[in-house]
């Protein structure tokens, strides 16, 4: 395996613009209010089918990577920590992009993904960013009912959770 020298890597990443500028463009086109906390962080509330999701974007210029997190406005019940981790692991096995995570301090589940933006510019990445955001919201909507069950003290048994995780045709 060959190493890339630091000089070579520096020029390799020179053409990357900050994708948060592209995120701003996507959000502005949707007429969504957002908060650009600083050059490298942006926050927005996104409406899904089942409620509001808190989306956070963090840009790391050194790696040319954008991490985003789409957090539910749900707090999972402490009684179901082990069941929650097993359920999230089961959900993650079916995902092609991103993963679900559970923050121990808040017990709030979220969909997370880190994307490399090497070679992309603000304009070339706008459609890509829109797609990534749509995937996050779709996955959060798809698994909302399962995670909602885990937010109640009477979350039900494993069979109930399995039924909630089934892929169904149509929408409610």
């Amino acid at each position: 395996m060959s190493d890339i020298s630091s000089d070579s890597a520096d020029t390799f990443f020179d053409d990357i613009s900050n994708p948060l500028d592209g995120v701003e463009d996507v959000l502005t086109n949707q007429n969504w209010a957002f908060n650009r906390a600083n050059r490298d962080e942006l926050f927005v509330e996104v409406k899904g089918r089942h409620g509001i999701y808190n989306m956070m974007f963090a840009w790391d210029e050194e790696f040319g990577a954008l991490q985003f997190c789409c957090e539910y406005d749900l707090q999972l019940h402490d009684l179901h920590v082990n069941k929650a981790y097993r359920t999230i692991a089961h959900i993650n096995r079916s995902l092609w992009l991103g993963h679900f995570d559970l923050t121990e301090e808040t017990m709030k589940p979220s969909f997370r993904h880190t994307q490399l933006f090497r070679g992309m510019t603000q304009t070339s990445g706008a459609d890509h960013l829109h797609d990534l955001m749509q995937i996050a919201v779709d996955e959060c909507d798809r698994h909302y009912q399962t995670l909602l069950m885990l937010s109640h003290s009477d979350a039900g048994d494993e069979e109930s959770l399995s039924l909630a995780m089934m892929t169904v045709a149509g929408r409610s």
Side-chain angles (χ1 to χ4, degrees), residues 32 55 68 129-139 141:
W32 291 347
M55 198 172 277
F68 73 100
L129 289 164
H130 183 270
D131 291 345
L132 290 174
M133 292 170 59
Q134 188 62 55
I135 289 167
V137 171
D138 289 347
E139 290 297 341
D141 282 344

Side-chain angles (χ1 to χ4, degrees), residues 36-98:
R36 180 88 179 249
N38 58 49
R39 181 186 179 303
D40 297 327
E41 294 179 325
L42 186 145
F43 301 89
V44 63
E45 288 185 345
V46 177
K47 184 170 178 5
R49 282 196 331 250
H50 302 289
I52 302 295
Y53 304 127
N54 298 307
M55 198 172 277
M56 181 274 302
F57 298 84
W59 170 241
D60 186 315
E61 190 168 358
E62 179 183 353
F63 292 111
L66 178 72
Q67 181 180 74
F68 73 100
C69 172
C70 188
E71 184 179 72
Y72 288 90
D73 192 17
L74 290 175
Q75 185 172 7
L76 302 191
H77 201 283
D78 290 338
L79 292 173
H80 308 301
V81 172
N82 291 331
K83 193 183 292 188
Y85 282 118
R86 283 193 313 273
T87 302
I88 288 171
H90 179 80
I91 290 169
N92 284 338
R93 285 191 291 272
S94 70
L95 298 177
W96 279 78
L97 183 72

Side-chain angles (χ1 to χ4, degrees), residues 72 91 94-95 100 139-147:
Y72 288 90
I91 290 169
S94 70
L95 298 177
F100 281 91
E139 290 297 341
C140 286
D141 282 344
R142 187 172 107 181
H143 298 290
Y144 183 86
Q145 295 301 331
T146 302
L147 296 170

Side-chain angles (χ1 to χ4, degrees), residues 16-23 36 38-41 59 61 66 120-122:
I16 299 174
S17 65
N18 187 332
L20 293 184
D21 298 334
V23 172
R36 180 88 179 249
N38 58 49
R39 181 186 179 303
D40 297 327
E41 294 179 325
W59 170 241
E61 190 168 358
L66 178 72
M120 286 195 186
T121 63
Q122 181 177 344

